[in-house]
């Protein structure tokens, strides 16, 4: 694989990568940001495995990760590594899901936890808990079904001869409120222990998560990788003006539906594994886009940003108020809610300025 310098016909900021007989364009800044995020994620993961109630030397952590004998096998390999793996996978899934839904809606406010997708996954999952389904290995599949049903309802009600971004977000917010009420109803119908279990799950937590939760998310990301590669290319056509895309022969409705469905599935699986970890899908794509300064949201950078957010938030949640451990969703909400308010205020200020 070789990287060719810019030449006539290659857009500014891009380079041509040759792999065998094929070649493709890469954005130089996005590639650098992705590499930096990968290093940051590796550092966050190493800190996570070393630093908890007891400190484990990095050399011992590396032995456990590489499968070598270590006296810290139980601490690192049984308790910390599976939980961290779930956090990385869930964060990556939320990051890509948020990027796809924001691309389809053309609205930075649109994310699975804003438009009702995670609330649909939560409602069906809490309902399953109420009726006795307590296996964390089964809950991701229940969440996928709930997220798909919620997204289908939002899409059906928002469709009026076409998909308007503002209408899509507003109807999604309405469904999110209604589905949250359904979730609360299920919690009141269950017994005390089930209600407490559901309450902890609803905050978004990596506590007691292990390989049983990591495997379904890992398989989903692996199997959906070709679809994500397609989505990275399809983003360009969706970002075009509708008339231009139609003139080029692009079937926008089908492409948008495919991108939205992929985002819903990823968000629902992540919700089933860790609960509704709010605002990760809202924050990660926008941070990735601002760092790369690209026209479209870079999916790889969004995935890495989401993974970094979840791992760092869970680490801080375990250490800030030790021995009390805060769920990861509490930390992400504490950061994401002010960001959402800032987006709303900035949007209103921009419209006021334009009307002046």
């Amino acid at each position: 694989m070789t990287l060719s310098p810019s030449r006539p016909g290659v857009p500014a900021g891009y380079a041509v990568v040759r792999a065998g007989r094929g070649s493709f364009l890469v954005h130089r800044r996005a590639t650098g940001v992705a590499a930096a995020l990968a290093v940051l994620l590796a550092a966050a993961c190493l800190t996570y495995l070393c630093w908890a109630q007891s400190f484990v030397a990095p050399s011992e952590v590396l032995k456990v990760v590489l499968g070598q004998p270590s006296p810290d096998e139980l601490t690192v390999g049984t308790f910390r590594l599976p939980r961290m793996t779930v956090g990385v996978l869930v964060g990556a899934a939320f990051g890509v899901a948020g990027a796809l839904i924001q691309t389809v809606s053309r609205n930075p406010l649109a994310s699975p936890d804003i438009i009702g997708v995670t609330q649909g996954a939560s409602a069906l999952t809490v309902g399953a808990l109420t009726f006795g389904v307590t296996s964390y290995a089964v809950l991701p599949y229940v969440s996928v079904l709930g997220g798909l049903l919620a997204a289908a309802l939002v899409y059906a009600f928002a469709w009026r001869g076409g998909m308007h971004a503002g209408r899509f977000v507003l109807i999604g917010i309405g469904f999110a409120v209604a589905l949250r009420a359904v979730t609360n109803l299920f919690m009141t119908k269950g017994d005390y222990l089930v209600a407490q279990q559901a309450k902890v799950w609803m905050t978004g937590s990596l506590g007691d998560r292990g390989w049983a939760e990591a495997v379904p998310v890992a398989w989903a990301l692996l199997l959906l990788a070709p679809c994500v590669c397609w989505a990275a290319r399809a983003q360009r056509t969706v970002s075009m003006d509708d008339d231009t895309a139609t003139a080029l022969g692009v079937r926008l409705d089908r492409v948008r539906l495919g991108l939205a469905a992929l985002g819903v599935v990823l968000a629902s699986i992540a919700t089933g594994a860790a609960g509704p970890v709010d605002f990760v899908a809202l924050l990660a794509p926008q941070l990735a886009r601002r760092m790369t300064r690209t026209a479209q949201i870079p999916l790889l950078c969004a995935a890495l940003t989401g993974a970094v957010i979840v791992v760092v938030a869970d680490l801080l949640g375990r250490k800030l108020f030790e021995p009390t451990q805060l769920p990861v969703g509490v930390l992400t909400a504490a950061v994401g809610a002010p960001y959402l308010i800032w987006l709303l205020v900035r949007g209103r200020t921009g419209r006021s300025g334009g009307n002046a």
Side-chain angles (χ1 to χ4, degrees), residues 203-206 276-279 313 326-334:
T203 60
S205 174
L206 298 180
V277 184
D278 291 333
F279 295 110
L326 295 179
V328 63
V330 173
L331 272 296
T332 58

Side-chain angles (χ1 to χ4, degrees), residues 200-223:
V200 172
W201 184 87
M202 283 291 297
T203 60
S205 174
L206 298 180
D208 298 327
R209 300 302 192 269
W211 297 120
E213 292 76 40
V215 169
V217 185
W219 274 111
L221 291 176
L222 182 62
L223 294 175

